[in-house]
Amino acid sequence: MESIWRQTASMPDVPCLEGDTRTDILIIGGGIAGLLCAWALDRAGADYLLVEARELCAGVTGNTTAKITAQHGILYQKLLPSLGLEKTRLYFEANQRAVAEYRALCRELDCDFTEQTAYVFARSDPEKLKRERAVYRALGAEAALRKTSPLPFPVAGCLGLAGQGQFHPLKFLARIARGLNLRAHTKVRALAPGEARTDHGVVRANKIVLATHFPILNKHGLYPLKMYQHRSYVLALRGAASLEGMYVSQDDTGLSFRTYRDLLLLGGGGHRTGRPGGGWRELRALARRWYPEAQEVAHWAAQDCVTLDGGAYVGSYAPQTPDLFVATGFNKWGMTTALAGAHILQDLLQGRANIYAPAFDPGRPMAGGAAAANAAASAAHLLTPTVPRCPHLGCALRYNAQEDAWECPCHGSRFDRSGALLDGPATDDLRRPPPAR
Ligand SMILES: Cc1cc2nc3c(=O)[nH]c(=O)nc-3n(C[C@H](O)[C@H](O)[C@H](O)COP(=O)(O)OP(=O)(O)OC[C@H]3O[C@@H](n4cnc5c(N)ncnc54)[C@H](O)[C@@H]3O)c2cc1C
């Protein structure tokens, strides 16, 4: 089923590439990361072109929950040990600036923006919330810790960051996309330095930005080692009690709550892609318990890239590829990080320094233990002798019965029952259809 965003807004029709062309900057991927980068470059008068494999926002962006906040769960206490205080402050400030910029932009664009307080809640021990509040103070920000919430279960604590927001992401991006230099239905099949090959022609560019969600180039940058994908499920409920504020759980359940008009969007049921998880079944059981009067009007699912320290990767792709750039690893907080990232990329692509870039540097050291654990988790699936295998790096695919899809437990590529590609980083369909289930 389509998300409520896709049911209630359409992205502009964009032509596909027709023949070889040349540009200064090529952006690959027409989700929020690519589109905001194109928009920032367009306003700066740059020569750029964006190509998208499907329609605009056909990927994760069309299936988000679109909370606009610099409060990314309890991120800042996780970032502090790896980034240090100054870069953690820059990371927070870049996201807060993005919230302010959305607020200003949304005044001009009809996209159902409402200002909200963002809350992260704990159901049992509030200790981590207290720690996060202390980190906010060290960053120069204030967040209020409360013992109660309007959620339909008791909480041990609720940490609120005021002045955040929520919107309709596709109404916003449809307006942003107007007048930009875009080509849709133009999938990049192969990348070489200064060149991207598509079925409709070759694009030659001085600089290339990979905004393909999970990067499609394995050779440099170690992205398959330092990221994985995590899937989440959403129900849109009509008739649930209305809610002030936007909520996300502090723990790994990923439970999330926001309203859109008369609907409550309940998120959760998540799991690392290709691993078992609760999915819509778990969410429906929760909805029956918490909102017995409510009616489900839509359900959808999507996945996001998760990094090992919780921070996004925006900037130079790898030391060996000086003209290649990336925006990825948004850890389910891509609304603000994509906008912050667009400004970082705009500066770097135009040869200027950006004060926030060091906090998002894709080349920052990986936490050793986490990288080893992620590598070991992938190695186990590489050695599993079952078929079908993922064309990305050869891991054994797992069947997700709730979504009738085959998923890679290593890096998160997905395929439908006929073997057609649903989500990257794989770039091709399976050579043979998977066994019938
Ligand atoms: C269920 C869920 C809820 C979320 N809720 C929130 C939230 O409340 N707030 C928040 O801030 N964030 C949220 N997020 C995260 C946010 O939605 C994502 O981080 C963001 O949408 C990712 O955008 P993107 O542009 O990187 O990826 P995408 O939107 O997937 O865009 C990538 C594009 O690249 C294209 N592409 C891929 N390969 C190629 C190729 N070879 N050639 C050409 N094009 C290609 C794809 O077709 C796709 O359109 C949520 C995520 C999920 C899964």
Side-chain angles (χ1 to χ4, degrees), residues 52-377:
E52 160 57 46
R54 302 174 275 178
E55 307 97 57
L56 300 177
C57 297
V60 188
T61 302
N63 296 295
T64 183
T65 47
K67 304 184 215 83
I68 299 173
T69 174
Q71 184 195 66
H72 297 177
I74 49 166
L75 172 68
Y76 298 105
Q77 63 191 271
K78 295 181 193 158
L79 275 187
L80 199 54
S82 55
L83 289 190
L85 184 61
E86 184 48 22
K87 285 185 193 162
T88 304
R89 193 186 61 72
L90 286 173
Y91 197 97
F92 175 68
E93 190 180 295
N95 280 287
Q96 277 285 53
R97 285 179 68 130
V99 174
E101 190 174 3
Y102 273 116
R103 192 184 301 112
L105 285 169
C106 292
R107 259 185 231 123
E108 311 297 320
L109 309 175
D110 173 22
C111 60
D112 303 332
F113 177 89
T114 59
E115 188 159 319
Q116 300 283 338
T117 298
Y119 293 97
V120 54
F121 65 87
R123 294 183 74 177
S124 49
D125 184 0
E127 210 38 52
K128 288 185 179 158
L129 298 186
K130 290 183 183 160
R131 220 177 296 154
E132 193 71 0
R133 180 177 57 174
V135 178
Y136 276 123
R137 284 191 181 143
L139 301 177
E142 260 317 311
L145 189 56
R146 299 191 334 203
K147 287 194 176 140
T148 57
S149 85
L151 295 171
F153 44 77
V155 296
C158 222
L159 185 67
L161 187 65
Q164 312 295 295
Q166 60 188 23
F167 69 163
H168 187 312
L170 300 193
K171 284 188 182 174
F172 173 80
L173 288 167
R175 296 289 299 271
I176 285 288
R178 274 189 203 166
L180 301 182
N181 193 21
L182 313 172
R183 300 290 180 277
H185 306 288
T186 302
K187 181 172 179 171
V188 171
R189 301 258 175 210
L191 270 176
E195 171 173 310
R197 294 191 166 269
T198 79
D199 293 338
H200 308 287
V202 176
V203 185
R204 294 193 174 77
N206 298 322
K207 292 170 192 140
I208 298 178
V209 179
L210 279 182
T212 54
H213 194 234
F214 203 112
I216 53 170
L217 182 73
N218 294 324
K219 199 167 163 201
H220 302 290
L222 299 177
Y223 292 90
L225 198 62
K226 59 192 189 186
M227 290 201 313
Y228 60 90
Q229 298 199 63
H230 198 268
R231 222 162 156 72
S232 309
Y233 297 77
V234 186
L235 300 181
L237 303 173
R238 178 166 288 128
S242 113
L243 191 65
E244 271 300 314
M246 318 177 290
Y247 293 80
V248 67
S249 65
Q250 162 229 284
D251 57 29
D252 292 337
T253 59
L255 270 179
S256 115
F257 301 76
R258 71 157 277 192
T259 51
Y260 174 65
R261 298 194 164 184
D262 64 336
L263 301 177
L264 176 74
L265 308 188
L266 174 63
H271 57 85
R272 181 166 169 159
T273 307
R275 312 279 169 95
W280 293 304
R281 202 176 304 130
E282 179 183 306
L283 275 183
R284 284 179 180 131
L286 294 174
R288 274 195 301 276
R289 188 187 322 154
W290 293 332
Y291 306 105
E293 311 295 318
Q295 218 193 326
E296 178 183 321
V297 297
H299 65 273
W300 65 92
Q303 59 195 33
D304 210 12
C305 297
V306 175
T307 63
L308 303 182
D309 64 6
Y313 290 136
V314 180
S316 169
Y317 194 80
Q320 307 86 336
T321 57
D323 298 323
L324 192 59
F325 297 79
V326 70
T328 188
F330 295 142
N331 297 285
K332 306 211 178 145
W333 297 109
M335 302 298 109
T336 54
T337 34
L339 185 52
H343 293 306
I344 292 171
L345 287 172
Q346 178 202 332
D347 278 343
L348 300 184
L349 288 159
Q350 298 195 307
R352 286 190 299 269
N354 178 289
I355 57 160
Y356 299 110
F360 294 78
D361 180 9
R364 65 184 180 265
M366 275 182 274
N374 193 34

